[in-house]
Every structure is written in C-alpha cells, then in structure tokens.
Amino acid sequence: MMKTFLAAAAALTLSAGTASAAVVINSGDGLGPTAVHTQGSQTSTIVYGEVNSYQVAFESSTLLTANGSGVAKVDGADSDDMFTDLAIYFTDYAYGIDSLNFSFFTKEAKPVNVGVEIFYVGGGSSTGSFQLLSNLTKWNIFDDGGKAFEKIVFTSNKGIEDIRQVAIAPGVAGAVPEPGAWALMIVGFGLAGAALRRQRQPLALAA
C-alpha cells in the first residue's frame, strides 16, 4: 500500500562546529551518488547495505528491518513500525560520505521536524533541522566545500516509517589537517631542513 510521505522543499540551516563547514540540503537526485542495496533479510538495531563494495550501516535506538530487495529501503520494526532516530555511516572508516540522497516516508500528521547532525571525517560537526511538509521528495545532503562526512544522524519529533531510495557518493576518508597541525608540520619541516644543511657542511681539515 502506498504510504504518504510528508516532506518540505525547505532549506536546511546548519550551525557548523568548524568554520569551513558549509552543508547544503536540497531536493533532487544529488551529485552522482550510487544506489545502496541492502544485504538479505535483516531485523536489528543495525542493518547493513552496500554501495559498490563498501558496507553501509543504518543504526537506530529501535529495531529496523531490511529485506534486501533492490535499492536500500530500511523500515522501522518496533511496536508501531516507526523510528525517530537513524544514523548512516560506512563501517570501514577508510571511506566517507561525499553526498547522501534519500527519501523519508511517514503517515504522521505534518509537519514532521527532522534534526540533522553531521560528523566530518577528521573531526568537527554541524547540526541543524528541516521540516517534512508535503508529498514525496527526494533529498540530497552534501558539503559545498567538498568535505566528506563520517556519519549522518537524523532525529525526528514524530515517527518515520522508512527511508528508501538511498544513494551515496563515497569518498576516501583523508583527513584534512587543522591550522595548528599545519603549523607544527611547517616547523618540523624547517627543523629537518636545518639538520640536513648542518650535515652537509664540509669538515675543516687539519693543517
């Protein structure tokens, strides 16, 4: 039976834990993400999918279920078949999320307020919220500065029945050094260079 999805084409306002963070959420098919496929029949607080050969975890404080039929669809499996929190991340922390594309479905009365917390690869986080107000909408989340996410966490004030049509653009989780780290690296390079110069000085020969 077709479920009603309450969504809003509204901007997501995020307050960044790092000055360079610039997270964007908009409607559409996203920035070239690859569809996630769930792996077999699963019921647990953590269920798994796969994009390319990378394993993706969907985690909640309540039971989830996934049936492994096509593009990832993860349902709530508690007493009312809904969830109010959901985290998405790669189980192999060598990879990060460059962008996430998804749809939520719920029968709850609108609006449904959804909080978002973004954890960046290499440290830092951003938080914000958006509202589900109308019919089915496909959402895309990414950082316009190209920073990868380690984890994306959703919380809602009302139950969500499922997340579906999940697609992720994976990226290599190469941490970007903070300004303090850059300063230490520069000092280290300078000291190493000075030591090399001293080693290359010619020895004075005795007369």
Side-chain angles (χ1 to χ4, degrees), residues 74-126:
V74 175
D75 297 82
D78 65 358
S79 58
D80 59 3
D81 293 332
M82 293 187 185
F83 57 83
T84 56
D85 63 277
L86 182 70
I88 301 174
Y89 55 92
F90 282 109
T91 58
D92 184 344
Y93 289 103
Y95 301 98
I97 299 172
D98 282 348
S99 70
L100 173 70
N101 196 235
F102 63 95
S103 295
F104 279 137
F105 287 80
T106 181
K107 289 180 179 178
E108 296 281 29
K110 59 185 180 182
V112 175
N113 298 317
V114 180
V116 181
E117 187 167 13
I118 304 294
F119 296 91
Y120 287 98
V121 168
S125 64
S126 296

Side-chain angles (χ1 to χ4, degrees), residues 6 60-62 82-86 104-106 108 111-117 128-132 153-162:
L6 309 173
S60 179
S61 61
T62 57
M82 293 187 185
F83 57 83
T84 56
D85 63 277
L86 182 70
F104 279 137
F105 287 80
T106 181
E108 296 281 29
V112 175
N113 298 317
V114 180
V116 181
E117 187 167 13
S129 62
F130 64 100
Q131 286 190 321
L132 311 180
V153 179
F154 298 100
T155 56
S156 62
N157 67 327
K158 298 178 182 179
I160 293 175
E161 292 176 61
D162 66 63

Side-chain angles (χ1 to χ4, degrees), residues 39-63:
Q39 301 168 332
S41 180
Q42 308 170 62
T43 299
S44 179
T45 54
I46 306 178
V47 298
Y48 299 98
E50 190 174 274
V51 53
N52 298 333
S53 59
Y54 315 134
Q55 189 178 64
V56 180
F58 299 82
E59 181 175 358
S60 179
S61 61
T62 57
L63 284 176

